[in-house]
Amino acid sequence: MADTLIKIDLTQSPYENDAIHNRWHPDIPMVAMVKPGDDFIVECYDWTGGQIANDDSADDVRDVDLSQVHFLSGPVGVEGAEPGDLLEVDILDIGAFEASQWGFNGFFSKQNGGGFLTEHFPEAQKSIWDFNGMFTKSRHVPNVEFAGLIHPGLIGCLPSKEMLAEWNQRERALFETEPDRVPPLATLPYAETAHLGRMPADQAKAAAAEAARTVPPREHGGNCDIKDLSRGAKVYFPVYVKGGGLSVGDLHFSQGDGEITFCGAIEMAGWIHLRVNLIKDGMAKYAIKNPIFKPSPIKPRYDDYLIFEGISVDEQGEQHYLDVHIAYRQACLNAIAYLTKFGYSRAQAYAILGCAPVEGHISGVVDIPNACATLWLPTDIFDFDIKPGADGPQAQASGTMDVPLSPDQE
C-alpha cells in the first residue's frame, strides 16, 4: 500500500493544516520529499475548504469567500528535480472519501466571482449531487444520471521567483485596464487570507503580499480544469524550482468541457494516488513551456450526442471576428434553450452542462468572420428521449425542486 503523505480532517479548517496552502510562491516549504519512481496518496479538501454544505440553500455559494481559494495539498518535493527538468506525474487512482459521498455545483453571484454566463445567471445558485459508485444524480436536476470521470481540477508545480514576478506584472497590467470591472479582469495577490503552509510566520507575512492566487492556469499547470486528467492519465510538468514542489487539489467528480458554470464541476473532497518520475533537462529537449499530458484511457462511454453550434455573434447580434469565447457561449446558450423545451428550468439546464461529461470543440477558426464552437451533449444521460422528432418535444423533467437560488443581499 502506498503511503498517505498528506492527511486532512474535514471537520478542521484547512488553515489549521500546515500541509495545505492556497497561494503560489517559490518559498513555500515542501511538506514531504519523495524519490523518482515513488507513488503516494494525498488527501484533499474541496476547493473552498469546506465552505459549502449539503443542503437546499445557495446562501453559502452567494457568501463564499473566494479570496481563500483554492486549498491545495502540498507541495511535495522530488529528489533530484532541478529547474529545466520535466516532472512526470501518473494519476494512478482517485476517489471521494467514504464518509463524504456527495459534491456540489454552483453559479456564483456576479458580485462575487461571476461565471461564463454570468449576465444570464447573475445570482447564486447551487445543486447537490449524490454519488453511487461511479454514477451520480441530483435531487435538484431530475431525470439525469451519468458516470463520473473523477479528476483534479488543479495540479501543478511551484513557480520560480522570476516567474512569480512575471505573473504579477502582467496580471496587474490587465487588471488596471478596467480596475472597477465586476467581476474583475484578474485576481491579484491578497495577503489577508493567504495560507502558505509551513512557511515561518515572519516570512509568510512578506510573501503573502506577492504570492499568486490560484484562480487561473499558468505556465506551471495550475487550475486547468481538464476533465480527462483521470485514472491512468500522465502529465509532464515543467520544473521551475529545486524539488519541483508538486501540489494538487480542487477534485471534481465530473465536469463538462470548459467548466462552464465556473464552480462548474461537481466539486468534492477526496484523495488522489500519484506516481512521480523525472526527465532531466526535459523542457529544452522537448521545447515544453506549458504542461503536456496523455489522457486517461478510462472515460464514460457515451456514443450518441446532440451537437449544438455557436458562432462569433453575441446575444445582441453584434458581429465579432473569430471569437471562440463568444462562439462557445452561444453553443451553451443554444443547448440551454433547447433543454427548457423538455421541462427543465434554465438553471437546471445550465447545471447539466457544467456537471455532465459534455464535450467542447473548437470546430472552425479560419472562416472569417465567424469562429464555430460546438457543445456535444450526450443523450444517454437522460432517462427519456431528447432528440428532435415530428411530434415536438415532450416535457419530461419531473422534479418538484429547482436549483436553489439565493438573491444578492443589499
Side-chain angles (χ1 to χ4, degrees):
M1 291 292 291
D3 291 337
T4 300
L5 295 187
I6 299 173
K7 296 183 178 182
I8 67 168
D9 179 351
L10 294 180
T11 67
Q12 178 190 54
S13 166
Y15 285 102
E16 299 176 42
N17 190 323
D18 67 2
I20 304 296
H21 63 99
N22 66 355
R23 300 290 193 269
W24 294 113
H25 194 282
D27 296 332
I28 298 174
M30 307 296 175
V31 302
M33 294 296 298
V34 298
K35 297 178 180 179
D38 284 353
D39 66 292
F40 52 90
I41 294 171
V42 169
E43 296 182 349
C44 302
Y45 287 93
D46 81 81
W47 74 298
T48 72
Q51 296 186 60
I52 309 302
N54 183 354
D55 60 23
D56 298 324
S57 169
D59 287 0
D60 47 11
V61 170
R62 179 194 63 201
D63 302 331
V64 64
D65 185 352
L66 293 178
S67 75
Q68 296 184 16
V69 300
H70 302 72
F71 288 101
L72 307 179
S73 298
V76 174
V78 180
E79 293 181 11
E82 296 286 346
D85 295 344
L86 287 179
L87 181 62
E88 179 183 301
V89 179
D90 289 290
I91 300 176
L92 302 179
D93 203 359
I94 186 170
F97 292 124
E98 188 64 33
S100 185
Q101 293 288 307
W102 67 279
F104 63 90
N105 173 261
F107 317 159
F108 291 129
S109 164
K110 183 180 178 180
Q111 303 302 317
N112 186 27
F116 187 53
L117 300 181
T118 193
E119 301 301 331
H120 299 269
F121 298 89
E123 296 185 303
Q125 295 187 256
K126 179 179 76 177
S127 57
I128 299 296
W129 296 78
D130 294 307
F131 309 152
N132 181 18
M134 64 184 295
F135 294 94
T136 187
K137 57 185 177 181
S138 172
R139 61 185 179 269
H140 300 129
V141 184
N143 302 95
V144 172
E145 184 176 27
F146 49 84
L149 187 61
I150 307 178
H151 60 280
L154 202 161
I155 183 170
C157 295
L158 294 180
S160 65
K161 291 183 182 297
E162 295 77 15
M163 177 163 284
L164 176 62
E166 180 182 340
W167 293 350
N168 285 335
Q169 186 278 326
R170 72 191 186 198
E171 291 173 21
R172 180 167 290 280
L174 175 64
F175 178 90
E176 294 296 345
T177 63
E178 197 177 346
D180 298 324
R181 186 180 186 273
V182 178
L185 288 172
T187 50
L188 302 181
Y190 184 73
E192 282 79 355
T193 54
H195 179 40
L196 299 178
R198 295 179 179 175
M199 190 179 293
D202 56 343
Q203 184 182 355
K205 184 175 181 180
E210 62 180 4
R213 303 281 292 280
T214 60
V215 174
R218 299 184 179 96
E219 291 87 342
H220 69 142
N223 194 25
C224 295
D225 295 309
I226 300 170
K227 76 178 193 307
D228 298 292
L229 294 184
S230 189
R231 298 177 180 93
K234 183 189 294 286
V235 194
Y236 301 88
F237 289 104
V239 173
Y240 296 104
V241 301
K242 184 177 180 179
L246 179 69
S247 296
V248 61
D250 186 25
L251 303 186
H252 299 163
F253 187 85
S254 179
Q255 177 202 298
D257 280 340
E259 201 185 19
I260 296 162
T261 59
F262 183 32
C263 182
I266 300 176
E267 309 284 352
M268 68 176 217
W271 54 269
I272 184 168
H273 185 183
L274 303 172
R275 179 174 61 221
V276 296
N277 276 292
L278 284 177
I279 300 176
K280 299 301 294 181
D281 301 315
M283 290 178 68
K285 286 177 180 177
Y286 294 102
I288 289 179
K289 174 183 175 183
N290 297 76
I292 63 175
F293 74 97
K294 293 180 63 177
S296 170
I298 301 170
K299 64 187 307 180
R301 186 172 180 178
Y302 296 111
D303 299 319
D304 189 65
Y305 293 86
L306 276 181
I307 302 173
F308 297 86
E309 293 187 15
I311 59 174
S312 307
V313 178
D314 67 23
E315 294 90 314
Q316 289 72 46
E318 181 178 351
Q319 180 72 63
H320 297 261
Y321 181 76
L322 297 180
D323 192 319
V324 174
H325 180 275
I326 288 174
Y328 195 49
R329 189 170 78 222
Q330 297 310 307
C332 295
L333 290 171
N334 290 340
I336 289 169
Y338 183 90
L339 288 174
T340 63
K341 297 299 184 179
F342 293 86
Y344 287 109
S345 71
R346 293 178 72 250
Q348 289 171 329
Y350 190 27
I352 291 169
L353 301 189
C355 297
V358 305
E359 295 185 8
H361 295 258
I362 300 173
S363 300
V365 290
V366 296
D367 298 315
I368 61 173
N370 282 329
C372 177
T374 52
L375 182 138
W376 297 43
L377 177 65
T379 61
D380 292 340
I381 69 174
F382 301 91
D383 65 9
F384 59 90
D385 187 0
I386 67 163
K387 294 188 292 294
D391 294 333
Q394 305 298 306
Q396 298 283 348
S398 58
T400 58
M401 185 182 300
D402 198 354
V403 177
L405 180 147
S406 291
D408 293 331
Q409 295 179 316
E410 295 295 333

